Amino acid sequence: MTDLSFVALACGLIIGLGAIGACIGIALMGGKYLEASARQPELMNTLQTKMFLLAGLIDAAFLIGVGIAMLFAFANPFIAK
């Protein structure tokens, strides 16, 4: 295998595992939000605000991983010129 094939494999792993992690994190957070809203309906608006803020941060972490993968894919600093 060449260096380029390892870079493609690494980019796929970065994006794939990041997407799985973001999906699991948002799913767990959404489930806990529903549980908390059912237990204390008067806090629903506060909890919803915090849930959407955390959902944005979880997605931002995934998109940073996508950006790093694109850096390796298109401007790879590890390939000798």
Side-chain angles (χ1 to χ4, degrees), residues 16-54:
L17 293 177
I20 290 171
C23 290
I24 291 172
I26 289 177
L28 290 175
M29 182 183 58
K32 296 297 180 181
Y33 166 71
L34 289 175
E35 289 177 12
S37 297
R39 288 177 190 247
Q40 294 182 337
E42 66 273 3
L43 294 177
M44 190 179 302
N45 291 333
T46 305
L47 292 172
Q48 185 178 23
T49 302
K50 291 179 182 179
M51 186 194 74
F52 282 125
L53 179 67
L54 287 173

